[in-house]
């Protein structure tokens, strides 16, 4: 026997072998339909008996194996079923002849046979025959199973008769010697009458009867016969048959101990849980029916248990039997099958190590030269058996050998599909799967070198199958999962192969389904490149949306009554990991930053890299990048535009590397850091772009709030100069711009500003709204720089160093001197150079213009945007007021303001004041200018509180009063400068120069004295004319603007004449007389009230006369300041009376 049956198991010893074969031309599909129905009748309960017959069907069985039927009866073909098609009666004789020829092939061993004829109808089909069954078609054959059962019963009758015939002890008859094929020539010429020969015949026959009993369902009797055969054969050293007897004993014991079978396949060993065997089912039923009638006691059960081997002894007897088989070269197939049966039993007993020894022995059993198909079958069965005992890697090893055998060079047409299928089955044994997710968590399992070799073989088999998609998938898997174990050269080779395959068939993210139903999941390249972190970026500062504050407050949480709860804090922390605290805007480009790393030893080109999102319709804008070899962390920004509003979640990214398209999900990337993946998309807002008439600034403002300035502009101005900043507002978005608010804030300056630095009229701009997309509106901002114009310290020091005095100069001697700045006198410390007194220092002013705008759907939802414009102004000094003083004027309500003006520019400068002539100053020149001004009434400004507890408020209020006074004075002076050569002009402010003494001199006294002569007010150089001899009315009016009552006062009028030489004549009793007293008495005057005293003068001579008014030194006058008691001078000119005209 040369063809092993690797599917053999111990329980097959109790089966009857039936061969089912087609005759003539029978469609394969039809044949196997009938074969499947026939093979379903695998066990039949014997009529009028408790026994069960088990049938083993084969559709192919080598005739040479049938020759070993005497050695082991389960190898003998005892039944033949043939299937044929016959369409006409003419074909019937030929068909029947073929049936007889087929029977002759197994004629020596057949018990019975049947012929199933399909398609034949008529008289022949209507004949009633036991060995032939006629059916009209393959679909109309309901009685096939019944025919098979009848056939099996006929087999049982023959089997039972043979068993009874062989089991009956016929002392007079000579027992024939049973032989295996290769023994027949060895027994020629032996002495058949020797005792040794007879024992051999008896032992072999006893073993043969044991086989027949086992097939006939008599387990107890078979055990007895096997034991007797073992004793007889051992005594004559008939090792081959002794091994067969021991194997039969093991098989019967296995059937007893493992009624479910050892085949390992569900349903392969019939439903033996209910009918284990005829006798096994009645093991515990004393008196049950047997073939010999009714047992009166349980002696049969006791005897069977005694004769049956224990599970441990079964293995020992198998070892002994296999050792005896090993003595015979021609029994290799028997030895191999015995090893397979023993392994199946050991698998049931969970004794893996011993089973592996049997398998190892089976590997080294030499058979005849096997065909390639037989080799594949042998290695496949070895793999299956190793799998059953838990040796997964060993199983994979033999299955891989079987796979390689499918594509052996000696095969004319290699079976690459079978090779590929077997290779796939080896993957679990090498801890390898085709799902890349299994390799993304934890440490690597299995031998990477072996796994890579197997994957390469899968790729090669796929290519030979003509399936480039499979090649790409397996190569992608190799590159993704084994990247850490590939050498630099291997990485280059694999990627080159992959690119060559993807040129024909690009890699996709679709699941590949194989013909057998196996699904190959997609392999995303999460390591090409490796992503270390994913960060969703906020919009640029100028585009970030802000929520308008509600009256109720947006920051108040009403979810919990507690100020703090650790549960709430924890849940908020989890939600913060999911949702980000900023928003994206519909229709605006949004960015996600990835930190990536190229692990390849060469430049990695990544194409079509974009974002994968859910929740909102999102237009991803793919990017292409090239990463240097082993680049280290490299930032990559992926962008896209959300088209709708709502919650958007960034799930991952997609790439195209080496022609493979990958969708990489963040959930499948271990160790990736992220600031959250979900962000809210709010409705669309307009986008504002600003351009100005000023050049851009190289200085970037850094506001304390941390906001970014989108545009910075710079301008250079002289102190006091005003310039217009024209800003063009362009709506570059898709939504109309409906609302605009502008605010300004001065930053990073310690300089004191006077007046409004920035001013504008927003109404002119708003009248152009709503601003449609693409339209431009104009916005004008006035930049007015007014810093401190005082320069008292350093400049005066420079002037005094030059030997020039600037104090105490009379008004009639105007100061005119050129002062040149000296570099050597400037302090070296830059901090000192920024002092107020440094007249050559350029000051810097910085401000931020904030444009708060909104429109479109975002405005309806309460969102707006901020756009900031940074303004950098360099202020060069224009003029300085080095000294200020006052001189009284002829009028009590006026005074002269003296200003020493210094031109600090490098150009000729003209300075002017209201009602004054222009004063020309050369570069570096200082001159004094006098300005006659009306005194000011400061009583309308709030007084400083005197409460010590409000000291801070008092100081602030005093500064406000001082500022208000300076502003009023400056507005009246209206001092301006011009630089004709540059065509530039500006204001000059005295607000920072004024001191307390000057302010007192410029302030109107709270007590206002008015002298009226003849109804005319006497003040300044006004001359009142009157006639000699006419009484002249004289009025003294006092107005009290102070907060307290004043008076009473007494004033004495003393007339005199001024001779213009320093001599005053008061002896004028003969020239002037008073009508009444020359002393005026004024009663107490309450606040805001006035009092008038009337008198009269009579001039007796012509001339110019003056009145000197003196206060009596009483308590009222001594308590008040002298400036309060300043009366105007009175100049009266007496003329001759005019003669009346004659009629």
């Amino acid at each position: 026997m040369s063809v092993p049956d690797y599917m053999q198991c111990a329980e097959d010893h109790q089966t009857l072998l039936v061969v089912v074969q087609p005759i003539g031309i029978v469609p394969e599909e039809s044949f196997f339909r009938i074969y499947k129905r026939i093979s379903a009748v695998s066990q039949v309960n014997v009529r009028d008996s408790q026994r069960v017959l088990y049938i083993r069907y084969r559709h192919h069985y080598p005739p040479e194996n049938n020759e070993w039927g005497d050695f082991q009866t389960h190898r003998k073909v005892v039944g033949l079923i043939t299937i044929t098609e016959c369409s006409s009666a003419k074909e019937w004789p030929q068909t029947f002849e073929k049936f007889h020829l087929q029977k002759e092939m197994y004629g020596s061993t057949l018990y019975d046979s049947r012929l199933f004829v399909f398609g034949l109808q008529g008289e022949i089909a209507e004949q009633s025959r036991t060995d032939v069954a006629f059916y009209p078609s393959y679909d109309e054959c309901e009685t096939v199973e019944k025919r098979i059962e009848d056939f099996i019963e006929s087999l049982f009758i023959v089997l039972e008769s043979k068993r009874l015939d062989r089991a009956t002890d016929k002392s007079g008859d000579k027992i024939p010697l049973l032989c295996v094929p290769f023994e027949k020539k060895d027994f020629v010429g032996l002495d058949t009458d020797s005792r040794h020969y007879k024992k051999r015949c008896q032992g072999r026959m006893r073993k043969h009867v044991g086989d027949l009993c086992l097939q006939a369902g008599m387990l107890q009797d078979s055990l007895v016969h096997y034991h007797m055969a073992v004793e007889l054969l051992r005594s004559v050293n008939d090792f081959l048959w002794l091994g067969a007897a021991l194997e039969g004993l093991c098989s019967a014991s296995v059937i007893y101990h493992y009624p479910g079978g050892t085949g390992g396949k569900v349903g392969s060993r019939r439903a033996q849980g209910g009918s284990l065997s005829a006798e096994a089912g009645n093991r515990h039923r004393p008196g049950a029916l047997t073939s010999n009638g009714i047992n009166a006691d349980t002696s049969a059960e006791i005897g069977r248990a005694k004769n049956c081997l224990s599970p441990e002894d079964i293995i020992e007897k198998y070892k002994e039997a296999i050792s005896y088989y090993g003595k015979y070269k021609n029994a290799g197939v028997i030895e191999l099958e015995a090893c397979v049966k023993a392994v199946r039993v050991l698998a049931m007993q969970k004794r893996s190590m011993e089973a592996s020894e049997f398998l190892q022995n089976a590997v080294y059993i030499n058979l005849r030269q096997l065909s390639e198909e037989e080799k594949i079958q042998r290695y496949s069965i070895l793999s299956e058996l190793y799998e059953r005992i838990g040796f997964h890697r060993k199983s994979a090893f033999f299955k891989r050998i079987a796979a390689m055998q499918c594509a052996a060079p000696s095969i004319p047409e290699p079976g690459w599909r079978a090779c590929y299928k077997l290779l796939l089955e080896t993957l679990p044994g090498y801890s390898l799967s085709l799902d890349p997710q299994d390799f993304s968590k934890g440490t690597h399992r299995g031998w990477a070198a072996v796994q890579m070799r197997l994957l390469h073989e899968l790729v090669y088999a796929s290519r030979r199958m003509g399936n480039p998609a499979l090649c790409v998938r397996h190569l992608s898997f190799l590159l993704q999962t084994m990247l850490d174990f590939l050498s630099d050269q291997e990485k280059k080779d694999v990627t080159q192969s992959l690119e060559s395959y993807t040129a024909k068939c690009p890699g996709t993210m679709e699941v590949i389904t194989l013909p057998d139903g196996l699904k190959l999941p997609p392999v995303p390249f999460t390591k090409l490149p490796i992503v270390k972190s994913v960060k969703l970026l906020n919009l640029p500062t100028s585009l970030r949306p802000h929520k308008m504050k509600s009256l109720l407050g947006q920051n108040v949480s009403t979810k919990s009554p507690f100020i703090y709860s650790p549960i709430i804090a924890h849940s908020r922390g989890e939600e913060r990991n999911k949702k980000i605290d900023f928003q994206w805007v519909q229709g605006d480009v949004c960015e996600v930053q990835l930190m990536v790393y190229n692990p390849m030893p060469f430049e990695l080109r990544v194409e079509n890299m974009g974002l994968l999102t859910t929740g909102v319709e999102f237009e991803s804008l793919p990017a292409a990048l090239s990463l240097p070899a082993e680049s280290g962390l490299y930032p990559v920004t992926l962008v896209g535009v959300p088209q709708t509003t709502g919650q958007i979640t960034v799930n991952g990214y997609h790439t195209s590397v080496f022609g493979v398209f990958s969708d990489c999900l963040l959930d499948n990337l271990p160790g990736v850091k992220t600031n959250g993946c979900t962000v809210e998309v709010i409705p669309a807002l307009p986008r504002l772009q600003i351009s100005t008439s000023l050049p851009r600034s190289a200085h970037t403002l850094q506001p304390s709030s941390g906001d970014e300035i989108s545009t910075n502009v710079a301008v250079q101005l002289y102190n006091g100069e005003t310039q217009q900043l024209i800003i063009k507002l362009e709506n570059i978005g898709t939504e109309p711009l409906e609302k605009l608010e502008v605010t300004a804030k001065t930053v990073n300056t310690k300089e004191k500003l006077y007046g409004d630095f920035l001013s504008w009229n927003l109404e002119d701009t708003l009248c152009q709204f709503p601003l449609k997309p693409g339209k431009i509106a104009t916005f004008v901002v006035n930049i007015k720089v007014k810093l401190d114009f005082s320069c008292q310290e350093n400049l005066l020091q420079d002037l005094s160093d030059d030997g020039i005095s600037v104090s105490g100069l009379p008004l009639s001697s105007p100061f005119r001197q050129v002062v040149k700045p000296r570099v050597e006198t400037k302090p070296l410390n830059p901090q000192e150079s920024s002092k107020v007194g440094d007249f050559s220092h350029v000051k810097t002013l910085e401000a931020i213009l904030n444009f708060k705008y909104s429109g479109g759907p975002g405005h309806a939802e309460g969102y707006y945007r901020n756009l900031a414009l940074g303004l950098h102004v360099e202020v060069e000094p224009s003029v300085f007021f080095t000294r200020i003083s006052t001189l009284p004027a002829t009028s009590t309500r006026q005074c002269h303001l003296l200003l020493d003006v210094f031109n600090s520019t490098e150009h000729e400068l003209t300075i002017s004041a209201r009602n004054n002539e222009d004063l020309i100053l050369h570069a570096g020149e200082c001159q004094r200018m006098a300005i006659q001004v009306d005194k000011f009434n400061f009583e309308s400004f709030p007084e400083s509180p005197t409460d010590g507890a409000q000291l801070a408020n008092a100081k602030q209020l005093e500064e406000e009063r001082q500022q208000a006074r300076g502003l009023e004075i400056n507005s009246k002076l209206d001092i301006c400068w011009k630089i004709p050569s540059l065509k530039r002009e500006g204001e000059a402010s005295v607000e920072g120069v004024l001191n307390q003494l000057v302010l007192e001199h410029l302030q109107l006294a709270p007590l206002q004295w008015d002298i009226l002569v003849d109804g005319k007010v006497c003040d300044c150089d006004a001359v009142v004319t009157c006639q000699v001899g006419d009484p002249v009315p004289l009025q003294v009016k006092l107005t009290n603007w102070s907060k307290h009552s004043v008076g009473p006062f007494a004033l004495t009028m003393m007339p005199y004449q001024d001779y213009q030489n320093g001599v005053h004549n008061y002896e004028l009793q003969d020239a002037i007389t008073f009508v009444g007293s020359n002393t005026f008495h004024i009663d107490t005057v309450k606040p805001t009230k006035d009092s008038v005293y009337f008198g009269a003068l009579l001039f007796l001579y012509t001339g110019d006369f003056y009145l000197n008014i003196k206060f009596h030194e009483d308590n009222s006058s001594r308590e008040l300041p002298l400036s309060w008691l300043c009366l105007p001078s009175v100049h009266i000119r007496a003329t001759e009376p005019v003669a009346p005209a004659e009629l």
Side-chain angles (χ1 to χ4, degrees), residues 431-671:
S431 301
L432 196 60
S433 74
L434 294 177
D435 190 353
Q437 294 299 322
D438 298 336
F439 291 82
S440 62
K441 300 174 183 178
T443 57
H444 189 90
R445 294 179 63 248
W447 292 347
V450 178
Q451 292 171 343
M452 287 190 290
R453 175 70 178 270
L454 186 59
L455 289 172
H456 276 296
E457 291 169 350
L458 280 172
V459 172
Y460 185 75
S462 302
R463 184 174 69 84
R464 295 301 299 267
M465 287 166 55
N467 194 334
L470 275 182
C471 298
V472 172
R473 183 60 50 88
H474 290 311
L475 265 181
S476 302
F477 184 85
L478 170 63
L479 196 57
Q480 168 69 16
T481 59
M482 303 294 167
L483 186 65
D484 298 336
F485 305 99
L486 292 171
S487 65
D488 290 351
Q489 185 59 41
E490 288 174 333
K491 290 177 182 178
K492 293 180 181 178
D493 295 341
V494 171
T495 53
Q496 288 176 359
S497 299
L498 184 59
E499 286 180 319
S500 66
Y501 287 127
T502 53
K504 304 174 184 176
C505 179
T508 65
M509 287 297 294
E510 296 179 0
V511 176
I512 297 178
T513 303
L514 299 178
D516 58 356
L518 181 65
K519 297 181 182 297
L520 300 185
V523 182
F525 277 156
T526 59
K527 293 184 179 180
L528 296 173
I530 298 174
V531 176
K532 292 295 185 181
S533 67
V534 177
K535 182 180 182 182
L536 275 67
L537 300 181
N538 199 349
L539 293 173
T541 307
S542 59
L543 297 180
R544 292 175 188 172
H546 304 274
K547 185 73 173 177
M548 296 179 184
K549 293 183 179 179
S550 171
L551 295 176
L552 297 178
Q554 294 290 334
N555 299 325
V556 180
S557 175
T558 58
K559 293 183 179 179
S560 172
F562 302 103
I563 296 176
Y564 172 77
S565 168
I567 300 176
I568 295 175
H570 180 68
S571 64
R572 286 174 183 168
E574 290 180 352
E575 187 170 348
R576 187 161 50 246
N577 290 334
K578 298 177 182 177
K579 185 179 177 182
I580 306 174
D581 57 356
F582 57 77
Q583 294 91 25
W584 284 350
V585 180
Q586 174 189 358
D588 282 3
V589 176
C590 305
E591 299 178 332
V592 177
Q593 186 183 68
L594 280 66
M595 298 301 294
V596 300
Y597 166 68
N598 174 20
M600 305 301 279
F602 49 84
E603 183 182 27
L604 180 65
R605 290 191 55 80
V606 183
E607 300 175 354
N608 194 35
M609 191 172 189
L611 295 173
L612 297 175
T613 62
T614 56
V616 165
E617 184 181 345
F618 187 81
E619 180 188 357
S620 178
L621 305 177
L625 57 141
S626 179
L627 298 176
E630 299 177 350
S631 60
L633 285 181
Y634 190 87
V636 175
T637 302
L638 302 181
V639 299
V641 180
Q643 303 294 335
T644 56
T645 61
Q647 300 283 345
I648 184 172
T649 301
V650 177
N651 298 323
Y653 59 94
H654 61 82
T655 61
S656 175
V657 181
F658 305 129
V660 177
F661 295 91
S662 304
D663 290 345
C664 305
L665 301 179
L666 298 183
D667 294 340
N668 300 333
L669 300 178

Side-chain angles (χ1 to χ4, degrees), residues 935 1000 1003-1007 1009 1120-1127:
K935 291 186 178 181
E1000 289 180 359
Q1003 183 176 1
L1004 279 173
L1007 298 184
W1009 299 90
L1120 299 176
L1122 292 177
S1123 61
W1124 288 30
L1125 305 177
C1126 182
L1127 277 76

